[in-house]
């Protein structure tokens, strides 16, 4: 590429001049290309270790005038081809012009101006690219693609200098981190080390420091481990690796491919070693931390943050912390944990102004809200810029009808509800959700307790709690702009009063903000979901009456209907999750304290933010937290952990604890207090309580001998965790049977359990530590699920396939790799269209025609040169049973089984079917049972007329059912006849298949003999049929006999005599048959495939000899134009599969060829080597080799 002219002092140091003229010199760097000796090895090693190859390309062009010792570099290139194009352009366009100048300075000025002008023109067309990435980084990206053979779609994120430990020897080089791969390259003294690891194959990623590997990063896959060390900044490198591995795991989980964020603000200056993707990932990481810290929605994006102080009127002091500004919120977090946190939605802001500065209060900014609260921030570094950014966001913020009301349940819904109309334009009476419903404005607990008697005890403590919260609201504010301090946390741990529980759950979870910004959304989802019948709605209906059946609120239709509406509305909102068991239990508890709309948004916050991936089809999030819990147990309770692992208890208990937040294993009045703490502190409190439960029962658990005994102990303990301050009537618990016995177990106060776990025993547990542990467990869990899916698929098809288990597992790896590749390197269909997690494992991953052709070429045994793609397309068409353009793994294995493990009859039957027109196989589908290639799924149509008055015995219907479900055994007599054109295509395929076989000539002779025999058989059959059925037309047709030969030559050039002789044998055999003209086919039913005769040229038989037939030539007699039109009649030329099989059996070479078993292991080993993206030969080396060969 052209570069800005720069002076070069030592033109010949480490460079070799290859071309020169009076004004320019083309040079090659030592250590690249041919030759070089020891000097070349040293220079090449130095380039790799010092990264000089990223700054200095292996080729360059210098400008020199006269005898001057000053040189200017004007172009560089990564290959000889690229630099040669620049050199030729200079010779063509500048040499003659430069010869006119008399002054050397004018020549240099002209050259510099010309090159600068070319660069400016290129920058106009590539302005976006130039702004995003620096020239050095683009050079490194090109180098990565060249070294590892990556396509243009693979984007480099960053690269680092490091050492890769191969055995006990470190190899200094460079690690390239792209979106989908981890690559390493080293060249030391002529020895190359190349490594490529897909992020989707990583099972463990950890940073450790040992004596052997100081400050190293270990990357583990299923089969090996890789160690990298000697990083300049190991923390930044490891964080980027974690992000890329997380993206890969998300891709495996739900096929979310990486999409760059093009709306990021451009950097103030182009950073030398930071790409646009690296800035994108850094911004994503900051956004995730910001959203998790303040419980904000997934679309919230951090604009910036700065250090400041906040004036707290309740403490009469300034608190040091950080101010965060995003597109919808202004947030503050104190430097000291739990000291103060503040969230100010921009929709609530009324005034933002700069206050007067003073020595005590420098650079203050005052923010006022609609509910008369004022917040004062000071010590802001760039106050003017901050105020301007907030003003810009305020201008984009729509006006909100909710003015920060403390009770969101009083928000009117009628203005936001859709108004369906009838045929006459009047409002329809059918509305599934409306403000008139009791559950639209009140919680279920409020509805069923307003008439309850006061006989269950005084409510003194409940009144005291309410009063404490009212005092807190007066001092710290109420609503979304409330100061959240350590006092707030203390009140939550003491229990939230029932009257405030719904409001505070919404506030602490962030659901209040989402509900306020989406008015009417829930009502629309309800109207959209009602009346639909899906798998999710069926599961919801099945579980409705299992949701807290002991509570009287769900013993009538009102509670059940509200639960149905919330669950179906969420299934409509998030079809990826739909409905999962345990969602009904959690939602029923939410409905007790919230209105329907509030419960819906709380469910959204739970499933999408607070418990990510918990409620999908594979409960990945719960399994991840189960692994985290096991790791925490091992760290905090090591002796108990070992014993529990032997019993296998932890994996059993933790899943139910986490999925339902202890609601299904603890009395309701006690478990709801844990939910209070969960909404305020997140998943950390659930881990703390779970560890406290194990610690409290450690002595008895250590004495257990089996899993059942341990489960009984834990169940009895949890069932006796009581809330003595409850004001609700007691609710019978499902685990009450566990407490039966002579001596009742002691009761455990839930408040004591919470405080001891959160403040005493396990209070040091931090949320960031849990997130780090989640990352490690997520890699392990998702890869374990992938292994389980592979075993399930193999187990499902192993009985229908002749491949071994190991072979099927390896085939699954190759098949899935093609599917995964489509996710990030593009395909004709999106990854989401070909991956449906709701389907069985066997049908989840599917590939299209292009990917199947690649696998067929790598793994198939019937390779036909350039004709391979055509044969693969025909096989794909036959395997694609539902005609959606995609095939699953079972269909893929079915096709390979026929080629590798079928006998001669099965292989020939498959080849025979491949050359029949599409859509006309009828009963001849691929079957794999009893001499068939795939189980036929079509039902047997029975023409049985049953009279209405006739009563049949049940045994009759059982027999009919058995007959319909019994697979029909297909015989070779069921195959349709093959016409002349299809037979020619079959001969062409066979000829190409034999072209690379060691017994090529014997097979050519054999197929020539068989072809001649079959052509004569077809002619005899045609004449016999015509004589028997078409006597009146025989004389007419016999008057103009038109001998013809028709042959589609194989798409392969064979200049040697052996191939020519084999080709002429086939040609002569077909010519000797004296075939009549094939009648034209115009019937819609007789549609030809892509390789039919219509795609080839047609010539008369008299104008060409058989040896002159080209690859795309079809010989057709001229007399056929006058023959009858329409579909092929019974009297036309045709043969049966039985005739083909019988003819083939007469030739031993053909029998041996088709009876020979293929070696799938060797093919897969070659394919596995191809999957490892290897270093490609550069175009410069190709150019040099071409020169050497000449």
């Amino acid at each position: 590429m052209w570069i800005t002219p720069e002076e070069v002092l030592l033109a010949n140091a480490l460079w070799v001049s290859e071309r020169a003229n009076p004004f320019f010199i083309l040079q090659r760097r030592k250590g690249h290309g041919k030759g070089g000796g020891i000097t070349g090895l040293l220079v090449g090693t130095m380039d790799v270790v010092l990264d000089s190859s990223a700054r200095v390309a292996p080729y360059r062009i210098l400008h020199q005038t006269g005898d001057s010792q000053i040189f200017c570099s004007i172009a560089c290139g990564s290959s000889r081809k690229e630099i040669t194009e620049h050199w030729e352009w200079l010779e063509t366009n500048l040499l003659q012009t430069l010869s006119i100048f008399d002054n050397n300075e004018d020549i240099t000025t002209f050259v510099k101006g010309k090159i600068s002008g070319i660069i400016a023109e290129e920058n106009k067309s590539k302005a976006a690219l130039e702004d995003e990435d620096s020239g050095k980084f683009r050079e490194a990206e090109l180098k990565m693609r060249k070294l590892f053979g990556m396509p243009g779609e693979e984007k480099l994120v960053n690269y680092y200098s490091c050492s890769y430990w191969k055995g006990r020897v470190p190899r200094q080089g460079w690690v390239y981190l792209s979106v989908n791969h981890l690559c390493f390259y080293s060249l030391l003294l002529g020895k190359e080390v190349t490594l490529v690891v897909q992020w989707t194959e990583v099972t463990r990623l950890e940073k450790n420091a040992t004596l052997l590997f100081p400050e190293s990063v270990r990357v583990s896959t299923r089969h090996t481990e890789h160690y990298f060390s000697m990083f300049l900044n190991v923390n930044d490198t490891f964080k980027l690796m974690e992000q890329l591995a997380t993206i890969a795991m998300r891709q495996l989980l739900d096929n979310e491919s990486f999409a760059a964020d093009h709306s990021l603000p451009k950097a103030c200056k182009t950073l030398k070693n930071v790409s646009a993707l690296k800035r994108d990932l850094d911004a994503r990481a900051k956004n995730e931390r910001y959203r998790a810290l303040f419980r904000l929605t997934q679309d919230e994006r951090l604009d910036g943050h700065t250090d400041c102080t906040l004036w707290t009127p309740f403490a009469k002091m300034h608190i040091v912390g950080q101010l965060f500004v995003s597109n919808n919120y202004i947030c503050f977090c104190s430097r000291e944990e739990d000291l103060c946190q503040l969230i100010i939605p921009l929709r609530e802001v009324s005034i933002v102004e700069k206050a007067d500065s003073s020595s005590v209060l420098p650079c203050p900014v005052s923010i006022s809200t609609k509910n008369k609260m004022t917040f004062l921030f000071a010590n802001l570094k760039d106050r003017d810029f901050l105020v301007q950014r907030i003003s810009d966001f305020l201008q984009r913020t729509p006006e909100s009808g909710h003015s920060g009301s403390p009770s969101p349940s009083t928000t009117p819904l009628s203005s936001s509800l859709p108004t369906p109309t009838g045929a006459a334009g009047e409002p329809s009476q059918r509305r599934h959700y409306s403000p008139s419903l009791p559950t639209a404005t009140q919680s279920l607990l409020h509805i069923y307790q307003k008439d309850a008697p006061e006989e269950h005890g005084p409510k003194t403590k409940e009144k005291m709690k309410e009063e404490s919260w009212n005092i807190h609201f007066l001092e710290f504010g109420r609503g979304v702009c409330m100061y959240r301090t350590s006092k707030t946390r203390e009140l939550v741990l003491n229990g939230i009063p029932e009257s405030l529980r719904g409001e505070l759950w919404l506030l602490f979870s962030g659901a209040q903000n989402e509900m306020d910004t989406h008015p009417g959304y829930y009502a629309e989802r309800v109207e959209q979901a009602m009346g639909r019948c899906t798998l999710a709605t069926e599961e919801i209906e099945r579980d409705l009456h299992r949701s807290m059946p002991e509570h009287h609120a769900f013993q009538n239709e009102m509670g059940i209907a509200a639960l149905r509406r919330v669950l179906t509305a969420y299934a409509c909102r998030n079809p990826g999750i739909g409905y999962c068991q345990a969602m009904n239990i959690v939602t029923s508890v939410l409905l007790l304290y919230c209105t329907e709309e509030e419960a819906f948004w709380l469910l959204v916050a739970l499933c999408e933010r607070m418990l990510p991936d918990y409620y999908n089809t594979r409960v990945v999030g719960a399994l991840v937290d189960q692994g985290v819990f096991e790791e925490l147990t091992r760290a905090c309770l090591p002796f108990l952990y070992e014993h529990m692992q032997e019993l296998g208890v932890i994996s059993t208990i933790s899943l139910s604890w986490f999925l339902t937040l202890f609601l299904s294993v603890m009395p309701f009045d006690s478990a709801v207090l844990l939910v209070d703490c969960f909404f305020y502190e997140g998943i950390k409190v659930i881990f703390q309580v779970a560890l406290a439960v194990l610690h409290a029962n450690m002595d008895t658990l250590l004495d257990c001998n089996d899993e059942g005994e341990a489960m009984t102990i834990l169940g009895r303990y949890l069932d006796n965790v009581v809330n003595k301050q409850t004001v609700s009537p007691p609710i019978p618990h499902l685990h009450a049977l566990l407490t039966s016995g002579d001596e009742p177990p002691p009761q455990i106060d839930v408040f004591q359990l919470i405080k001891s776990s959160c403040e005493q025993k396990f209070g040091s547990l931090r949320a960031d530590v849990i997130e780090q542990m989640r990352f490690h467990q997520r890699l392990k869990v998702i890869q374990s699920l992938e292994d389980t899916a592979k075993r399930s698929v193999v187990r499902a098809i192993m009985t229908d396939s002749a491949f071994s288990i190991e072979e099927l597992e390896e085939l699954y790896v190759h098949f899935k790799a093609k599917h995964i590749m489509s996710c990030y390197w593009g395909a004709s269909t999106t990854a989401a269209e070909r991956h449906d997690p709701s389907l069985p494992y066997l049908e989840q991953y599917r590939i299209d025609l292009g990917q199947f052709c690649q696998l067929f070429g790598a793994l198939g045994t019937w390779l036909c040169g350039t004709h391979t793609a055509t044969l693969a397309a025909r096989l794909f068409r036959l395997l694609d049973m539902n005609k959606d353009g995609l095939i699953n793994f079972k269909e893929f294995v079915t096709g390979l089984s026929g080629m590798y493990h079928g006998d001669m009859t099965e292989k020939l039957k498959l080849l025979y079917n491949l050359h029949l027109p599409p859509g006309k196989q009828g009963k001849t589908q691929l079957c794999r049972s009893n001499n068939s290639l795939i189980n036929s799924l079509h039902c047997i149509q029975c023409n049985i007329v049953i009279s209405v008055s006739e009563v049949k015995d049940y045994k009759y219907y059982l027999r009919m059912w058995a007959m319909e479900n019994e697979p029909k055994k297909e015989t070779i007599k069921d195959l349709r006849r093959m016409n002349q054109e299809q037979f020619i295509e079959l001969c062409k395929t066979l000829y190409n298949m034999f072209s690379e076989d060691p017994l090529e000539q014997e097979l050519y002779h054999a197929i020539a003999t068989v072809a001649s025999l079959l052509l004569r058989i077809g002619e005899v059959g045609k004449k016999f049929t015509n004589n028997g059925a078409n006597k009146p037309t025989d004389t007419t047709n016999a008057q103009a006999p038109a001998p013809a030969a028709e042959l589609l030559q194989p798409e392969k050039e064979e200049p040697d005599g052996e191939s020519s002789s084999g080709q002429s044998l086939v040609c002569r055999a077909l010519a000797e048959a004296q075939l009549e003209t094939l009648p034209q086919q115009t019937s819609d039913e007789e549609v030809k495939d892509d390789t039919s005769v219509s795609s080839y040229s047609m010539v008369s038989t008299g104008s060409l000899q058989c040896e002159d037939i080209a690859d795309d030539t079809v010989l057709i007699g001229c007399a056929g134009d006058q023959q009858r039109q329409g579909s092929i009649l019974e009297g036309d030329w045709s043969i049966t599969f039985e005739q083909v099989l019988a003819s083939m059996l007469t030739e031993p070479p053909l029998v041996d060829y088709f009876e020979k078993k293929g070696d799938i292991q060797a093919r897969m080993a070659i394919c596995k080597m191809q999957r490892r993206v290897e270093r490609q030969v550069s175009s410069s080396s190709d150019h040099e080799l071409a020169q050497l060969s000449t």
Side-chain angles (χ1 to χ4, degrees), residues 772-790:
Q772 186 65 30
M773 297 171 70
R774 275 180 165 180
F775 166 75
H776 294 300
Q777 292 297 328
R778 190 176 294 112
L779 292 178
K780 180 180 176 181
V781 167
I782 293 180
Q783 296 292 10
S784 176
L785 290 174
E786 292 298 312
D787 292 340
T788 302
K790 179 175 67 175

Side-chain angles (χ1 to χ4, degrees), residues 1026-1039:
N1026 288 343
N1027 290 334
N1030 298 320
K1031 289 184 179 180
T1033 61
D1034 281 348
T1035 56
T1036 305
N1037 294 334
Q1039 290 176 0

Side-chain angles (χ1 to χ4, degrees), residues 847-994:
I847 58 175
D848 59 15
L849 174 59
Q851 295 167 327
F852 176 79
C853 290
Q854 295 175 12
L855 286 176
F856 183 85
L859 299 174
T861 58
W862 295 345
L863 303 183
C864 309
T866 56
H867 191 64
T868 302
T870 302
L871 187 64
R874 289 174 172 171
L875 181 58
F876 182 87
R877 182 192 70 203
L878 197 62
L879 294 173
D880 186 13
M881 305 291 290
N882 56 359
K883 307 303 178 187
D884 62 349
L886 299 170
I887 63 170
N888 58 35
F889 181 65
K890 182 177 182 180
E891 294 166 337
F892 172 72
V893 170
T894 296
L896 288 184
S897 297
M899 290 188 289
Y900 276 97
H901 297 291
D903 56 20
M904 181 177 181
T905 303
E906 292 180 0
K907 292 179 180 178
L908 287 177
K909 186 194 299 184
L910 177 57
L911 275 173
Y912 187 89
N913 274 326
L914 290 180
H915 292 82
L916 295 178
K920 293 199 64 179
Q921 274 75 18
K923 293 180 289 183
T924 58
Q925 306 292 342
L926 283 177
C927 297
R928 186 58 204 137
S929 61
N930 297 325
N931 297 330
S932 300
L933 295 174
I934 197 170
N935 289 329
S936 178
L937 300 178
H938 61 276
C939 299
I940 303 174
Q941 296 181 352
C942 302
N943 299 323
I944 302 175
V945 180
I946 303 177
S947 173
V948 178
S949 59
E950 184 180 1
V951 179
K952 297 291 184 180
D953 192 304
Y954 74 94
K955 294 182 180 180
Y956 168 80
Y957 294 106
L958 289 176
R959 288 194 300 269
M960 293 298 300
W961 176 82
M963 289 173 57
E964 291 179 356
N965 286 276
E966 181 181 357
K968 183 180 179 181
K969 296 181 180 180
E970 185 184 55
T971 64
I972 59 177
K973 294 183 179 181
D974 296 326
L975 298 176
R976 294 183 302 108
R977 302 178 69 90
M978 177 178 284
N979 62 28
Q980 177 183 324
E981 177 190 342
Q982 297 155 6
F983 173 70
I984 297 301
E985 289 291 333
L986 177 60
C987 292
K988 177 181 177 181
T989 299
L990 291 172
Y991 176 83
N992 283 280
M993 286 171 56
F994 302 152

Side-chain angles (χ1 to χ4, degrees), residues 334-349:
S334 61
R335 185 175 298 174
E336 184 180 347
E337 190 177 7
D338 292 334
L339 188 58
C340 182
Q341 192 180 83
L342 183 65
I343 301 174
I344 308 174
L346 290 181
R347 66 179 184 272
E348 301 292 336
V349 174

